[in-house]
Amino acid sequence: MKVIFAGPTLYGAHLPSNADYQLRPPARQGDFHKAIQDGATVIGLVDGVYEYVPAIWHKEILFGLAQGVHIFGAASMGALRAAECAAFGMVGIGEIFDSYMSGALENDADVAQSHAPAEMGFLPLSEPLVNVRATLSRCLHLSLITASEHDQLLAAAKAIFFKERTYRQLVMSSISDEVRALEVLAVLRANAVNQKLLDAQLLVEAVIGAADRRFVPQFNWTFEATSFWDFTFPRLQPKS
């Protein structure tokens, strides 16, 4: 059984209709453990929730790896956890993961994004900074904005709280000329780069291509079930 945890990052994506995997909502603490107990052989982590509930626990990832589960991460929370757990066997995918691994990205907030609830398909409501950076870079490369505008827009994007960051908001807060602001807004929207989606699609391909069976763990570390772990996830006691 293959499982992918995703939400707003894959909004509107055209996913393979015949692929053999379960698409589950953004992961929170306990979701990995449940998927592993359900028999998952491959897990892909794209999106996770974190603000009002405990985020996906690193130890759940280690537990899965120790059980021989192939675990991939990309794009959002997946890229963060993959960078943090790469040394233990989690596989990171995509440009955003590479940037966290290299140190080019350091802040968790760079991938943060506001979105609607599951009932609305996790509709994205704001632009994550990683997408804004990629879009501004593309527009500068195509000479659609000036170097000065690029710097002003990027500074505005960094300063705006992630839930309020939209292309309209950052343009209106950084370009005073109304006519030029509307021109730039149209340019950004027409040339928007959704780097999170691009990376997530690579993860979907990796999950589909992975063997649907667990591997034999051969790590130089051992999973330790601490007392807190056992309290959080009580082990089933054998029947007498």
Side-chain angles (χ1 to χ4, degrees):
M1 180 180 74
K2 300 179 180 182
V3 177
I4 296 176
F5 291 98
T9 298
L10 283 180
Y11 181 83
H14 298 290
L15 301 175
S17 59
N18 60 344
D20 185 20
Y21 65 85
Q22 294 181 13
L23 184 60
R24 298 189 181 184
R28 64 184 68 191
Q29 184 176 302
D31 286 348
F32 257 53
H33 183 268
K34 183 179 186 306
I36 295 163
Q37 297 298 79
D38 288 345
T41 58
V42 182
I43 296 178
L45 176 61
V46 175
D47 292 313
V49 290
Y50 53 88
E51 194 170 15
Y52 303 112
V53 297
I56 188 70
W57 195 8
H58 300 79
K59 201 159 181 80
E60 291 179 72
I61 296 172
L62 299 185
F63 174 69
L65 292 169
Q67 298 293 314
V69 179
H70 304 270
I71 301 181
F72 300 94
S76 193
M77 178 71 77
L80 288 168
R81 289 294 183 263
E84 294 159 347
C85 297
F88 300 96
M90 186 174 179
V91 178
I93 295 172
E95 187 173 315
I96 297 170
F97 163 74
D98 290 341
S99 294
Y100 276 117
M101 285 295 288
S102 69
L105 290 180
E106 297 180 346
N107 197 327
D108 294 6
D110 286 353
V111 294
Q113 182 175 33
S114 178
H115 59 82
E119 292 77 10
M120 297 181 67
F122 301 106
L123 171 71
L125 300 176
S126 67
E127 285 294 334
L129 189 55
V130 289
N131 285 358
V132 173
R133 287 179 186 273
T135 298
L136 294 179
S137 179
R138 179 185 185 187
C139 291
L140 178 62
H141 178 72
L142 295 175
S143 299
L144 299 174
I145 59 175
T146 67
S148 176
E149 288 172 335
H150 170 277
D151 294 345
Q152 291 173 354
L153 290 164
L154 182 56
K158 291 178 179 178
I160 297 172
F161 182 51
F162 81 90
K163 290 186 177 182
E164 301 170 355
R165 188 189 300 116
T166 63
Y167 285 122
R168 173 175 289 277
Q169 180 66 21
L170 72 93
V171 166
M172 296 307 174
S173 65
S174 58
I175 299 178
S176 57
D177 184 288
E178 184 175 348
V179 174
R180 180 55 183 164
L182 291 175
E183 292 175 348
V184 170
L185 178 58
V187 163
L188 297 183
R189 287 175 170 171
N191 295 275
V193 178
N194 192 340
Q195 191 60 54
K196 288 179 69 172
L197 175 57
L198 294 174
D199 287 4
Q201 289 174 323
L202 293 177
L203 178 140
V204 172
E205 292 175 7
V207 168
I208 292 173
D212 193 4
R213 60 180 179 273
R214 295 189 181 186
F215 62 90
V216 179
Q218 294 181 327
F219 299 120
N220 59 359
W221 55 270
T222 302
F223 179 81
E224 297 291 344
T226 62
S227 57
F228 184 71
W229 173 267
D230 286 337
F231 175 79
T232 306
F233 304 118
R235 281 179 276 189
L236 294 176
Q237 298 300 318
K239 295 180 180 180
S240 56

